[in-house]
Amino acid sequence: MTQIAISVNGESHSAEVEPRQLLVYYLREQLGLIGTVVGCDTSSCGACTVLVDGESVKSCTVLAVQADGHEVTTIEGIGTNGDFHPVQQAFHEQHGLQCGFCTPGMVMATISLLAENPSPSEQQIRHALEGNLCRCTGYQNIVKAVQSAAAA
Ligand code: FES
Ligand code: FES
């Protein structure tokens, strides 16, 4: 077991984890942050996207020990029910979700994109989100939501 100390959504957490423990399972199973979901477990779908030091990463491709000493932000850390983050608000208003399974990852990837590029073109949005799959194929409204969040 390896001792780690990670800041998650602004709170410090110390834990003993197995070296092979993936970050996504540390978040879900040890911290109970089940808003970060597992769609594929093979780094294809982006449903598990979180921010590490502000950069979007697929948390099924990162070991918990690699996040040691870093700041992780999950969907639970950006807004609350009734007080949405502007990106969540835009997804809500533009109907950027259907079943919602991909949504946490889409929102976190969008936050990362807009931090780097506050007014992306449609092509840049589609390129930035190409690692995030939506099985409901709601891409048109997802792009509209990102454009709306950028304009907010
Ligand atoms: S669960 Fe991580 S990319 Fe699909
Ligand atoms: S809204 Fe269903 S997977 Fe995207």
Side-chain angles (χ1 to χ4, degrees), residues 24 37-49 58-61 131:
V24 65
V37 293
V38 179
C40 68
D41 226 356
T42 56
S43 79
S44 304
C45 76
C48 63
T49 303
K58 293 178 177 179
S59 60
C60 76
T61 67

Side-chain angles (χ1 to χ4, degrees), residues 16-125:
E16 293 225 319
V17 296
E18 289 196 34
R20 65 191 171 92
Q21 170 87 73
L22 293 171
L23 179 59
V24 65
Y25 292 113
Y26 171 70
L27 295 170
R28 287 180 57 85
E29 294 174 2
Q30 284 178 257
L31 300 187
L33 296 171
I34 57 172
T36 303
V37 293
V38 179
C40 68
D41 226 356
T42 56
S43 79
S44 304
C45 76
C48 63
T49 303
V50 300
L51 305 181
V52 176
D53 298 335
E55 295 270 336
S56 67
V57 299
K58 293 178 177 179
S59 60
C60 76
T61 67
V62 177
L63 297 168
V65 293
Q66 290 176 293
D68 183 29
H70 294 275
E71 289 190 16
V72 175
T73 308
T74 71
I75 192 77
E76 289 90 347
I78 61 159
T80 58
N81 203 357
D83 184 19
F84 286 158
H85 183 283
V87 173
Q88 291 174 308
Q89 186 67 32
F91 271 70
H92 172 59
E93 287 172 3
Q94 301 299 324
H95 310 290
L97 58 136
Q98 291 175 50
C99 79
F101 200 84
C102 69
T103 311
M106 290 286 184
V107 167
M108 300 313 283
T110 300
I111 290 172
S112 177
L113 165 66
L114 296 181
E116 279 174 30
N117 181 356
S119 47
S121 65
E122 179 177 342
Q123 195 181 9
Q124 287 170 325
I125 293 169

